[in-house]
Amino acid sequence: MSDNNEQHEDQAKIAEAPADLQVITKEAAMLKDRLSDLQIATKQAQDKYNALSQEILRTLELMEIDSIRAHGFLFYKEVKTSVTTPKTVEDKRELFEFLRSKDMFDEMVSVNSMTLNSLYKSLSEAAAKEGILDFRMPGVPEPTIYTNLKLRRG
């Protein structure tokens, strides 16, 4: 079946909500709009806070002080160290070998859940095209099937 036919069939399944469903879908729609507005406001506030934080840090540096008390808060500098994950295959191999030598590989190495799900989906779809309907990935439990409710303006 073509994608166009599937879209048409999906549209044909859309029905107007009965009165009791109208009430809860209206409330959900209003909350969705409110959440969107709050996310925008939160991002704007976070951006402004980040800019002010940088300005305060620069001022503390210029004043050659580590902290200041003001408005019920202690504003202070915190120095941290951060490393990034290896980018090349060779760098990854070196890190993995180091972790193995320290007996830390199994505890330290993990697979990103979204990446694993994407890989599982592509491999299981490829297996299904080959007629393999009971595809399994070693070490990975059977997938959980769930249904989400999505909202789209329209």
Side-chain angles (χ1 to χ4, degrees), residues 17-102:
D20 56 341
L21 194 52
Q22 283 284 350
V23 172
I24 61 175
T25 55
K26 179 179 181 180
E27 184 175 0
M30 289 173 33
L31 286 171
K32 179 71 171 168
D33 284 340
R34 184 166 175 234
L35 286 170
S36 294
D37 292 345
L38 288 170
Q39 286 173 335
I40 291 168
T42 299
K43 182 179 181 342
Q44 291 170 343
Q46 186 67 54
D47 290 347
K48 181 159 182 141
Y49 175 80
N50 291 344
L52 289 171
S53 293
Q54 290 304 309
E55 187 175 342
I56 292 167
L57 276 173
R58 283 191 301 275
T59 304
L60 292 175
E61 291 289 334
L62 286 171
M63 295 174 67
E64 297 181 353
I65 59 176
D66 293 330
S67 63
I68 188 169
R69 288 191 186 279
H71 309 288
F73 287 91
L74 174 65
F75 295 81
Y76 62 97
K77 297 187 298 188
E78 179 182 53
V79 179
K80 288 186 170 186
T81 301
S82 177
V83 296
T84 60
T85 57
K87 302 299 180 220
T88 67
V89 172
E90 184 57 36
D91 289 343
K92 289 177 185 179
R93 285 185 183 135
E94 287 180 22
L95 173 62
F96 294 164
E97 191 54 43
F98 171 78
L99 293 174
R100 283 186 188 97
S101 75
K102 300 288 185 188

Side-chain angles (χ1 to χ4, degrees), residues 2 7 12 46 82 146:
S2 74
Q7 287 176 342
Q46 186 67 54
S82 177
Y146 57 93

Side-chain angles (χ1 to χ4, degrees), residues 111-122 146:
V111 178
N112 177 286
S113 177
M114 290 178 66
T115 303
L116 179 62
N117 275 287
S118 177
L119 175 63
Y120 181 89
K121 182 179 178 186
S122 66
Y146 57 93

